[in-house]
Amino acid sequence: MPLSKLRNIGIAAHIDAGKTTTTERILFYTGVNRELGEVHDGAATTDFMKQEQERGITIASAAITTKWKDHQINIIDTPGHVDFTVEVERSMRVIDGLIGLFCAVGGVEPQSETVWNQADRYKVPRIALVNKMDRVGSDFMEVVGQLNKYLDANAVPFQLPIGAEDNFQGVIDLMKMKAVYYPAELKREEKDIPEDMKAEAEAARKNMIEKIADFNDAIMEKYLAEEEIGYDELKKAARTVTINQNITPVFCASSYKNKGVEEYLDAVLDYLPSPVDIGSVHGQDINDPSKSHTRHPVESDPFCALAFKLINDPYVGQQTFIRIYSGKLESGITVLNSTKGKKERIGRILRIHAKDREELTSAGAGEIVALIGMKDTKTGDTLCDQDNPVILEKIHIPPAVIEMKITPQSKKDEEKLGFALNRLSTEDPSFKTRVDEESNETVIAGMGELHLEIMVDRLKEEYGLIVDVGEPAVAFRETMKTPVENSYKFAKQTGGKGMFANCTIRFEPNPGKGFEFVDMIKGGAIPQEYIPSVRKGLEATMDEGILAGFQVLDVKAILIDGSFHAVDSSDMAFRLCASMCFKQAFLKADPILLEPVMKVEVNTPDDYIGDVIGDLNRRRGKIGDMRRFRKGSQKVDAKAPLVEMFGYATTLRSLSSGRANYSMEFHAYEQVPKDVQEKVVKAAAEKRAKGNKAD
């Protein structure tokens, strides 16, 4: 199949906008499924995890391959809940086009904006689909207005609905200027536009042509000269301006009622890009990051691909999903994982249809496939030709902001728990695990309470592990405000060989840039083989924390001087020396605690706006923008510390009689107030003292 007939698309939106139902309809109409699976019955093809079926929400993005009108479509159905935003993030990194789904009643909801911003980050062309036109309160033009007002989408209707709510009968295609009706289940009829809608349709078509003409000179000339613009010419121009992200075509449907499905399937082929339209990708040279290499979506270019997702399948083992950007991949060949600097042998290549799979002997540029048998490849790693190495842009992984302690109910399950947690964190890079050095307890960390709840549930269902769960806690961080230079000599003499290392290191605040290590040693004061040991010692200590046991962020360490002993110096001696040097320096460097501050968006009826704002203020929230959402309701944007937001769902429900809703996502780490820092540090000291006493 020509690459121009391939579409790699995502479907993304706010929770409960109908993403999975829309995917089910696509699979049914394209012949993959013989019957319709419904989310509320727990029978959706892409929601095949038990936790998804029980909750009626999508948790993990699912990849499916299907065909429509001699085109191949690879679809990635993504979650809408903000706790699983990393699933959307990594899907956005590898898709070529997006269907942005919006509820005809809810419009642009909180997570819709997050998804749209993620698509902006990766410059993904998109079309908008206003779904649930059959619902009471649906309003197509209101949603189009919100797309422009809140998302700056330059949204242009390519369809108009015929009726709404219970009277939603069909759509008017503004390209063909024809009406499409759905008189009965799975029936479709094309007719003339009804008389009472002709004027509205003419005005909407004129608006569509004007918007396209703004970015296309040929269409503009014909439009100004009042010449006839042919269907094929207009459609081709519309495709170009959509791919260039000048406009967002808007369509309408009721996926659940099977109305409009074929039309938005056609829109995917007509307006969303193929890998050919996206063109080449650029990657870094593995030895010199300032140099870049270009890879084109052709088989003649050297192979390169990005791993974007891992799943542990009980039947075939670990599946590594990859997007191939150039070249050809064949089973049995050896490729380079350029991120890790390790070779990987390609075992089986699979094309995935949710939980089913089809075995392939090879796959080419533009394809999304799963590999079996990868040993070292993780999310964000680049696979490439051994003789032509390159590193592609990585995937943005937001930090884990909430922690919870878990303990296996049986002592014999401790080893099994470690194995299971390692598997889960490999699958989901936003899920972190560690062992608390003080209490020897296992700590899991993630994006939110639901995220951790799902992981605990998966431990039980997939690994047979029942764990005792502690209260959720905020993942604070530590950093320094003042530069400090410190020297430390580590000397330990035992009966045999001793240990000796000496380091002088300057530590500086490094806001927003993470940990940086600079080697300024001259004249071999510290042998080259011990320089990595200094770095490892610093990194290990930063992970453990110093002030209150939380990870240290944003520090630049400059190794200035030192000395060694020909016999007694060792890797371990320099690790321990660097660790002690940092611990001493950090306490002199005006250390502070940082807390995760969340971006909070509340949709509330006007009646409760005062109570909502008052409650956010009490939670140390800073109110930002307030805007009219729709008649009788408002949106409130705020930034609030996560530690103050526990239990917010219950409070908001109580304040608004259950009528308000909210979305919350990580914004940034910011300095905690002095009184809060004192409390947290005191609690950590008491915990340490208690642990020492127990020992």
Side-chain angles (χ1 to χ4, degrees), residues 293-336:
H293 298 284
T294 303
R295 296 287 183 267
H296 301 90
V298 291
E299 287 193 5
S300 56
D301 259 24
F303 166 74
C304 83
L306 185 78
F308 70 96
K309 183 177 176 63
L310 276 73
I311 292 178
N312 284 294
D313 187 289
Y315 301 104
V316 297
Q318 182 175 282
Q319 297 177 3
T320 305
F321 284 78
I322 64 165
R323 161 69 194 264
I324 303 173
Y325 286 97
S326 64
K328 186 178 181 181
L329 184 68
E330 294 178 301
S331 55
I333 69 168
T334 299
V335 298
L336 175 69

Side-chain angles (χ1 to χ4, degrees), residues 8-124:
N8 292 314
I9 67 164
I11 303 177
H14 185 85
I15 192 168
D16 204 31
K19 295 180 306 303
T20 303
T21 300
T22 295
T23 306
E24 285 299 315
R25 295 311 183 264
I26 290 173
L27 295 179
F28 178 76
Y29 276 83
T30 56
V32 173
N33 287 352
R34 294 186 178 179
E35 56 185 55
L36 294 169
E38 303 296 359
V39 177
H40 53 263
D41 295 332
T45 307
T46 53
D47 285 352
F48 53 87
M49 287 170 59
K50 184 173 184 290
Q51 294 78 12
E52 296 175 313
Q53 293 165 357
E54 289 175 349
R55 291 167 174 81
I57 62 171
T58 301
I59 293 165
S61 56
I64 313 113
T65 297
T66 188
K67 290 187 177 177
W68 180 249
K69 294 185 177 177
D70 78 353
H71 285 65
Q72 179 179 314
I73 305 175
N74 294 327
I75 307 165
I76 297 181
D77 177 41
T78 57
H81 196 285
V82 71
D83 278 17
F84 307 102
T85 191
V86 72
E87 289 285 345
V88 184
E89 189 80 34
R90 56 186 174 184
S91 301
M92 291 290 181
R93 175 65 183 81
V94 296
I95 59 176
D96 297 327
L98 177 73
I99 298 177
L101 204 59
F102 299 88
C103 173
V105 181
V108 177
E109 296 174 276
Q111 188 66 4
S112 310
E113 294 191 46
T114 302
V115 168
W116 204 262
N117 292 337
Q118 287 172 308
D120 282 340
R121 180 184 294 142
Y122 294 110
K123 298 180 173 58
V124 181

Side-chain angles (χ1 to χ4, degrees), residues 90 307-310 377-381 395 397 426-429:
R90 56 186 174 184
F308 70 96
K309 183 177 176 63
L310 276 73
T377 302
K378 303 289 185 285
T379 295
D381 287 358
I395 297 169
I397 307 295
T426 300
E427 281 185 31
D428 181 352

Side-chain angles (χ1 to χ4, degrees), residues 640-653:
L642 176 61
V643 72
E644 305 289 351
M645 294 302 290
F646 287 118
Y648 185 63
T650 305
T651 303
L652 185 63
R653 202 177 300 123

